[in-house]
Amino acid sequence: MDSCQRGCTPAVRLCQRMNRLKTLDDDMMTTSLKRCLSTLDLTLLGLGGMVGSGLYVLTGTVAKDTVGPAVVLSFIFAGFASLLAAFCYAEFGARIPKTGSAYMFTYVSVGEVWAFLIGWNVILENMIGGAAVARAWSGYLDAIFNHAIQNFTESHIMRWDVPFLAQYPDMLAAGILLVASLFISFGVQVSSYLNHIFSTISMCVIVIILVFGFMLAEPANWSQKEGGFAPFGWSGIMAGSATCFYAFVGFDVIASSSEEAKNPQKAVPIATAISLGLAATAYILVSTVLTLMVPWHTLDPNSALADAFFRRGYSWAGVIVAVGSICAMNTVLLCNLFSLPRIVYAMAEDGLFFQIFARVNPITKVPVNAIVVFGFLMATMALIFDLEALVQFLSIGTLLAYTFVAASVIVLRFQPEKKHSKETSSTSPNPNAEPSPAPSECQNISEDSEDLKQYESFSDKLQLVDKQQTRERRAVGQLKACWEPYLGRLLGNCEPGEVVALSVLGLLVTSVSFSGVLVFGLMQLQLPSWSYITLLVIFSLAYVLCMAVIWVHEPQTNTKTFQVPLVPLTPGVSILINVFLMMKLSALTWIRFTVWIAAGLLVYFGYGIWHSKEGRRELHPKDLAARYVVLPSGSLVETVESVQPEQADATATCMNPAMTTEEFAGRR
């Protein structure tokens, strides 16, 4: 038996290292970056990330091929689904005003390896997204000049016919990315000013489109004569919603910028709500105008708006649409180049990625190394690769990030808040330090402390004992008092937050199972109707049961920042929608995703796990002082807790004779 335990120890310690959580500083407003962004700046960043070329291309494509005039409903449903995810990002961005977005949120609440994989996918998502937008920008500009740029490049430079590579090197796309990277490296204020200019022009163009579009609107284009409002039925509306959902994926740039916001607690939620509302309004109104101007089945998918105005005799409007489209694509480029280096910086700052990317320029206060390197990589991708086959890969990384952020909201809402000890004057080494207090004195200090906290070790979650045991309201993460008589025997003895964490895992499993049966049950799996319906009912009930188990526990209610309403319902529904949309992706996308995940695991196990700052903090524990704790067995004993730096000559320790400092460090 002992040999079995010794053999399992390395695997257990590896799992503990992979799932360790990030420790946040007491003062989360302290940063190496420059806090200068206002609510308006964040709002325009989010708006620029969402209202891009999709407004000029996606609306016509979805209306003609998938939905018809009911594309209006598709954008409404997609906007609602995005709002659920945006709520989760807004809560984290206000509560944890640190750069890194979904990576940081996952690291704080779920675990290290999961956070790394989320960050790894977001990096690829931004790289492919930025390169794809740059190529679209280049192609749009080239089309205005009757493809003169493409013809010159193929005739005088080179042309190749290689799979996965473009027909010709797109130097214009690579050039715009390098120029944009240069401007981004000048500092966050320069980036914000540029985004203000392009976003303002883009919004003015949208207003012009709407004014003249409603003047030219013909309600007969929604009549049965032209196929009706919803010619493809509800199935077409839902399929269109899945496509339109990706028009709103740019709002996470607001959370990525929270470390550079002046007042992130207020600015992040307000900017997220306003930018998402404006973007949804723009998409809904433009799609309404477009399908009222001309019959939906006659739309040109490549340039629907410009072609619609041209056919109605307003050919000059095509120039305005082209200007608006280029400005909108510029804002998306800026948002991609703005977010990507900051996520890389956050991972490098935590030791999970190469340390060179954690350096911040002392003058511009931005991670210049990350901007230059990844801007160059993005430009290289835009130069040589045919990105059309890879664009769908963007979806799975975004949806995975949304899913983990929603799960993190639930976990953190029902997790006891860990308060960090304030550093005393003994932070710096002092040879004249006062002698250590007696054990009884340490004991009294511990009992009289008002902010006793939960302390998590590797193997056990230890609940510190409060002097006052009786409270009207149960502790966060514990079973609600009203449910104690019914569920106390089953769930009452679990650690705070433990049942909720397991229920969130069950929520993910049931969402995957339900969506898998719903998407693949009849066609690919060819299940009989009775079996198909039975499985859907079983997984639906299991999903509802997991939600109910979470709901009967006490949530945190004392936070002063924005909170997602209706938890766990809001993030739970967001998880289900995101998983369903992931199941709709092609098998080739999943294969590419698996390969990228495998590459990320190589980087993590080859570098990240060995250089993690959380790992170094565990290997070099600080000096120790006594606390009373309740062990899982229920016994009351003394243990130790870090309160002073290890450089101090005098250490205030009140040790249990049955446990030495070395033994405690070994347990950790």
Side-chain angles (χ1 to χ4, degrees):
M1 188 68 179
D2 292 339
S3 61
C4 179
Q5 290 179 348
R6 286 194 298 270
C8 295
T9 299
V12 171
R13 291 185 63 82
L14 177 62
C15 290
Q16 291 167 344
R17 294 172 68 183
M18 291 167 57
N19 289 283
R20 55 197 169 201
L21 304 180
K22 180 176 175 61
T23 303
L24 295 173
D25 298 329
D26 286 329
D27 185 8
M28 286 188 288
M29 294 297 289
T30 303
T31 177
S32 300
L33 306 178
K34 185 177 182 180
R35 288 197 179 274
C36 59
L37 296 180
S38 64
T39 303
L40 177 62
D41 297 328
L42 293 178
T43 301
L44 291 179
L45 275 174
L47 189 63
M50 286 182 280
V51 182
S53 57
L55 186 73
Y56 301 90
V57 178
L58 186 65
T59 49
T61 302
V62 176
K64 181 176 182 179
D65 299 336
T66 310
V67 188
V71 66
V72 176
L73 296 180
S74 294
F75 274 115
I76 292 175
F77 293 148
F80 174 75
S82 299
L83 181 64
L84 300 179
F87 273 147
C88 301
Y89 274 80
E91 173 171 333
F92 270 115
R95 186 172 180 177
I96 307 172
K98 293 290 184 182
T99 191
S101 190
Y103 155 78
M104 180 63 66
F105 308 153
T106 307
Y107 201 174
V108 168
S109 55
V110 179
E112 184 173 282
V113 67
W114 309 107
F116 178 87
L117 293 178
I118 291 297
W120 184 251
N121 278 287
V122 171
I123 288 174
L124 181 66
E125 169 199 335
N126 279 276
M127 288 182 63
I128 294 179
V133 172
R135 288 192 67 91
W137 185 94
S138 171
Y140 203 93
L141 190 65
D142 192 27
I144 295 177
F145 295 101
N146 199 23
H147 301 287
I149 301 173
Q150 177 181 351
N151 295 333
F152 177 83
T153 304
E154 291 181 351
S155 302
H156 297 84
I157 300 178
M158 68 170 59
R159 172 189 172 91
W160 50 54
D161 295 309
V162 181
F164 301 108
L165 296 183
Q167 292 183 355
Y168 65 96
D170 196 337
M171 296 183 179
L172 185 60
I176 187 61
L177 282 169
L178 293 176
V179 172
S181 299
L182 179 64
F183 281 110
I184 293 289
S185 65
F186 286 154
V188 63
Q189 287 182 318
V190 175
S191 308
S192 180
Y193 291 153
L194 286 175
N195 184 69
H196 281 204
I197 295 171
F198 291 128
S199 295
T200 302
I201 296 174
S202 179
M203 287 188 292
C204 290
V205 170
I206 292 173
V207 171
I208 294 174
I209 291 173
L210 294 177
V211 170
F212 285 93
F214 277 113
M215 290 172 56
L216 300 173
E218 294 182 359
N221 289 326
W222 283 9
S223 65
Q224 286 297 125
K225 180 181 177 181
E226 300 293 346
F229 179 71
F232 297 93
W234 278 105
S235 60
I237 293 174
M238 298 311 297
S241 298
T243 304
C244 296
F245 178 82
Y246 307 115
F248 299 99
V249 298
F251 63 80
D252 60 334
V253 69
I254 299 175
S256 298
S257 310
S258 59
E259 192 166 340
E260 292 160 288
K262 295 177 183 177
N263 186 5
Q265 285 78 14
K266 292 184 178 180
V268 170
I270 294 174
T272 302
I274 294 177
S275 61
L276 188 61
L278 289 175
T281 302
Y283 277 109
I284 292 169
L285 292 180
V286 168
S287 59
T288 301
V289 163
L290 181 62
T291 53
L292 284 173
M293 286 176 62
V294 295
W296 61 270
H297 51 81
T298 64
L299 291 171
D300 181 1
N302 296 321
S303 56
L305 281 170
D307 181 68
F309 278 108
F310 178 79
R311 288 161 57 187
R312 295 302 303 271
Y314 286 74
S315 56
W316 55 267
V319 178
I320 297 178
V321 171
V323 171
S325 179
I326 290 175
C327 289
M329 284 187 276
N330 284 338
T331 61
V332 177
L333 274 180
L334 288 172
C335 289
N336 274 279
L337 285 167
F338 188 89
S339 297
L340 176 58
R342 282 154 179 80
I343 294 170
V344 174
Y345 161 77
M347 296 174 68
E349 181 72 14
D350 292 331
L352 301 185
F353 209 54
F354 304 111
Q355 196 65 30
I356 189 175
F357 298 125
R359 298 175 185 172
V360 175
N361 186 282
I363 299 175
T364 60
K365 299 293 184 181
V366 293
V368 174
N369 290 344
I371 294 172
V372 171
V373 171
F374 283 88
F376 178 78
L377 290 175
M378 198 182 295
T380 303
M381 293 179 66
L383 179 69
I384 63 176
F385 284 108
D386 179 11
L387 297 172
E388 292 182 5
L390 296 177
V391 167
Q392 194 180 14
F393 190 85
L394 299 175
S395 309
I396 194 167
T398 301
L399 293 171
L400 186 68
Y402 286 1
T403 301
F404 268 84
V405 170
S408 299
V409 165
I410 302 176
V411 171
L412 208 59
R413 181 68 64 87
F414 292 88
Q415 186 180 71
E417 187 173 359
K418 295 184 283 293
K419 299 179 182 179
H420 304 282
S421 303
K422 300 289 183 182
E423 293 184 2
T424 63
S425 58
S426 61
T427 301
S428 58
N430 183 7
N432 299 320
E434 295 182 3
S436 304
S440 60
E441 295 175 357
C442 269
Q443 203 169 316
N444 292 333
I445 292 172
S446 177
E447 291 182 349
D448 292 338
S449 176
E450 294 181 359
D451 289 326
L452 295 179
K453 62 178 184 177
Q454 174 182 328
Y455 184 89
E456 292 186 9
S457 67
F458 279 114
S459 57
D460 300 301
K461 288 185 177 180
L462 305 179
Q463 178 66 37
L464 298 177
V465 175
D466 196 344
K467 183 172 66 174
Q468 298 178 349
Q469 294 291 335
T470 59
R471 295 180 181 177
E472 295 182 2
R473 188 176 182 275
R474 302 293 298 275
V476 173
Q478 291 185 338
L479 197 63
K480 290 180 179 178
C482 60
W483 293 99
E484 183 71 27
Y486 310 101
L487 301 175
R489 183 172 297 181
L490 180 63
L491 304 176
N493 295 326
C494 298
E495 292 292 326
E498 182 179 359
V499 176
V500 172
L502 293 175
S503 299
V504 171
L505 179 61
L507 208 61
L508 292 170
V509 173
T510 54
S511 297
V512 171
S513 303
F514 178 85
S515 301
V517 172
L518 188 63
V519 174
F520 305 114
L522 293 178
M523 299 297 294
Q524 286 83 353
L525 299 179
Q526 297 182 348
L527 295 175
S529 298
W530 66 268
S531 177
Y532 175 76
I533 295 174
T534 302
L535 288 175
L536 288 180
V537 171
I538 291 173
F539 292 132
S540 299
L541 292 176
Y543 176 87
V544 173
L545 178 62
C546 291
M547 297 274 280
V549 170
I550 296 171
W551 179 74
V552 299
H553 288 78
E554 288 285 357
Q556 292 183 9
T557 57
N558 60 348
T559 181
K560 297 180 181 179
T561 58
F562 171 79
Q563 282 192 317
V564 177
L566 301 177
V567 174
L569 180 62
T570 300
V573 173
S574 179
I575 290 173
L576 183 60
I577 292 174
N578 297 331
V579 171
F580 173 77
L581 293 177
M582 289 173 71
M583 291 294 176
K584 299 286 286 184
L585 299 175
S586 65
L588 187 59
T589 299
W590 280 96
I591 294 173
R592 295 187 185 117
F593 173 73
T594 304
V595 173
W596 183 248
I597 286 291
L601 290 174
L602 288 176
V603 175
Y604 175 73
F605 287 109
Y607 181 88
I609 195 171
W610 307 106
H611 296 82
S612 169
K613 284 189 176 180
E614 293 301 318
R616 290 202 293 268
R617 181 178 288 112
E618 292 162 357
L619 290 175
H620 302 287
K622 297 180 180 181
D623 293 344
L624 307 169
R627 294 288 193 199
Y628 284 114
V629 299
V630 176
L631 294 177
S633 62
S635 59
L636 180 65
V637 298
E638 278 185 292
T639 186
V640 291
E641 180 189 3
S642 302
V643 295
Q644 293 182 0
E646 60 184 355
Q647 291 90 349
D649 295 330
T651 306
T653 58
C654 304
M655 303 293 297
N656 181 351
M659 182 184 296
T660 65
T661 307
E662 290 78 6
E663 290 173 347
F664 180 76
R667 284 196 177 188
R668 296 188 67 192

